[in-house]
């Protein structure tokens, strides 16, 4: 059982992991200078507790910590119980979700392991916006994508804002970094995947015509789109049929449509 | 041709429409207390100029006003040319898109007229979040939805933030308010529409099985979802098949998937 500890002193050093959260993604004192994994709200805290990340502590108002009691039964970490006012003073802003958990980062699974067990994957290039990245993971989880591979220019799925926008799904959908780009995508073809690049280019085929038992959807940031190198590494170019004169969809939305189409086949 | 007028004085009363934009959605001096229609950036300003809304004026840095010159050729309105600094002083924050246009509101088309010419429609209940509403209009435009009907609890598509998130597509996709809810939906059935409510309820059928020549997709806010009254007014309940244990998609994303499915039939 988590140890419930009343917290009454805003300067209590045991609360240091929860301080100044608006800048907590940079932690020069931590490995790689990257912040801890921070979960906000009961839904996301539950996902963090269910994930493999080593939880360090919780901080919450009494009601939220009580709600989480069943989830904390087997979790031997301190749970600091505080007023909303003290939480706001520590965190640096008012948190209307009332509970936080922090965990250490953990090594990501090797790309080969993610690919080995998968049927549908997303592969991202240049998705640098934390909210788009979080939304994409949320859609991936909802629509049954087995994993996400990150190419160059992608932001860190464990940034606080990505965790929140993903509703904690960055903690559930396995992801890993493709170290050599785009050559490292060879692992997909070696495992029987068809690499399908989503692009508005005129030589692309409508998404609904995509065939293949195992598919990896290659997605670029809205605006610049995929690089030529990434497009060249794909087996097929696919597109979402769109109304004339309309610009592209948001990348997470386009991804959702592709994931939906793949899930239904 | 628009009249180009150098603006050098931050207190120039001719710039009053552009002041304090972060609160410009409330204008007690305007009909209904609602703000003007505000377009930010060249893409959205072009859409405003192409819309039926009566444009009052533009304000922009020289480079952006020059870019818009072809669009302004037949538009007899003042275009105030200012430095980025002066614009920021007037507007109240730094605008990285460098150009604004304001227009008067105009009466929305009657629901009957929107329905008459349409094949696919979206009908919203309780979509109160401005960003979700804007994103939904963006997706509606991209995926060929002919119009949006607004039920109770929806926010105003012409709020500044909705206009921006929609990329100006609230100015292109016709919308109107259903005055009597849900009885007013009768106009849809009278015009041969099938009303399909998107809901995770277990008695719903997968979206891909939806049949019907003319379809109106009924969407509620994520979280509460559609009211029982709205569900009862629908002809069929449809769902997006989702992975087990995953919560709902964002409403604009769910809408995009439904619009995609409808567009492809």
């Amino acid at each position: 059982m988590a140890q419930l500890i009343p917290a009454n002193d805003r300067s209590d050093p045991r609360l240091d992991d929860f301080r100044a959260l608006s800048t907590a993604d940079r932690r020069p004192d931590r490995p790689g200078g990257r912040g801890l994994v921070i979960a906000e709200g009961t839904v996301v805290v539950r996902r963090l507790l269910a994930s493999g990340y080593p939880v360090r502590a919780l901080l919450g108002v009494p009601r939220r910590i009580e709600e989480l009691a069943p989830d904390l039964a087997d979790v031997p970490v301190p749970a600091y119980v505080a007023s909303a006012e003290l939480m706001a003073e520590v965190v640096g802003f008012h948190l209307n979700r009332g509970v936080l958990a922090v965990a250490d980062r953990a090594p990501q699974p090797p790309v080969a392991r993610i690919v080995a067990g998968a049927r549908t994957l997303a592969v991202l290039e240049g998705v640098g916006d934390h909210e788009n990245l979080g939304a994409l993971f949320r859609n991936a989880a909802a629509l049954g994508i087995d994993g996400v591979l990150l190419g160059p220019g992608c932001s860190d799925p464990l940034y606080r804002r990505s965790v929140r926008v993903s509703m904690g799904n960055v903690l559930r959908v396995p992801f890993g970094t493709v170290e050599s780009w785009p050559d490292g995508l060879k692992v997909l073809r070696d495992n029987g995947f068809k690499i399908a690049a989503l692009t508005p280019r005129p030589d692309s085929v409508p998404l609904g015509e995509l065939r293949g038992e195992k598919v990896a959807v290659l997605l670029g940031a809205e605006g610049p789109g995929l690089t030529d190198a990434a497009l060249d590494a794909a087996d097929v170019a696919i597109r979402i049929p769109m109304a004339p004169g309309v610009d592209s969809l948001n990348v997470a939305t386009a991804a959702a449509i592709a994931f939906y189409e793949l899930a239904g086949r």
Side-chain angles (χ1 to χ4, degrees), chain A:
Chain A
M1 176 63 197
Q3 191 189 355
L4 302 191
I5 303 168
N8 304 305
D9 176 5
R10 59 179 285 184
S11 61
D12 188 334
R14 296 174 302 178
L15 304 182
D16 283 353
D17 281 348
F18 300 99
R19 283 190 204 289
L21 286 197
S22 53
T23 57
D25 286 319
R26 283 183 293 280
R27 283 282 300 263
D29 56 313
R30 306 279 315 157
R34 292 180 148 188
L36 297 164
V37 183
I38 296 168
E40 301 164 67
T42 48
V43 169
V44 182
V45 168
R46 280 200 184 101
R47 292 203 168 134
L48 183 62
L49 291 168
S51 75
Y53 294 96
V55 175
R56 292 159 65 98
L58 284 82
L59 171 63
V61 298
R63 194 169 136 221
R64 296 283 169 247
I65 296 288
E66 277 164 35
E67 274 176 17
L68 287 164
D71 308 273
L72 294 171
D74 299 322
V75 184
V77 298
Y80 299 100
V81 185
S83 66
E85 293 70 31
L86 186 124
M87 278 188 76
E89 283 172 0
V90 171
V91 166
F93 51 87
H94 181 70
L95 265 172
N96 55 18
R97 294 202 173 90
V99 66
L100 292 163
V102 293
D104 285 313
R105 286 170 176 260
Q108 297 307 319
V111 163
R113 196 194 303 161
I114 297 172
V115 171
R119 185 170 165 272
T120 50
L121 292 166
V123 185
L124 313 184
E125 185 190 47
V127 180
D129 179 275
H130 293 120
E131 297 199 7
N132 282 345
L133 189 67
L136 193 147
F137 270 83
R138 180 182 177 188
N139 298 341
L143 297 161
I145 294 296
D146 299 311
V148 177
L149 307 188
L150 305 171
C154 292
S155 59
D156 173 6
L158 297 180
Y159 259 53
R160 188 176 71 91
R161 195 142 37 106
S162 297
V163 175
R164 191 183 65 223
V165 174
S166 84
M167 315 251 314
N169 287 302
V170 294
L171 309 171
R172 308 169 92 192
V173 178
F175 65 88
T177 301
V178 181
E179 294 299 344
S180 166
W181 187 264
D183 302 345
L185 297 178
K186 184 173 175 297
V187 65
L188 290 167
R189 218 168 280 113
D190 291 347
N191 280 267
F193 274 83
K194 179 179 279 190
I195 305 174
L198 195 66
T199 168
R201 291 211 312 197
D203 59 341
S204 54
V205 301
L207 178 57
E209 293 175 18
L210 178 62
R211 299 288 171 266
E213 199 187 334
K214 295 162 84 175
V215 174
V217 190
L218 183 55
L219 296 143
E222 90 188 71
L226 292 165
T227 61
D228 287 342
L231 287 166
D232 288 346
D235 299 305
V236 58
I238 54 172
R239 71 170 181 275
I240 297 169
M242 276 193 240
V246 173
D247 14 62
S248 66
L249 290 162
N250 167 281
V251 63
T253 305
I257 291 172
F259 299 163
Y260 166 77
E261 182 72 47
L262 289 172
R265 296 171 328 141

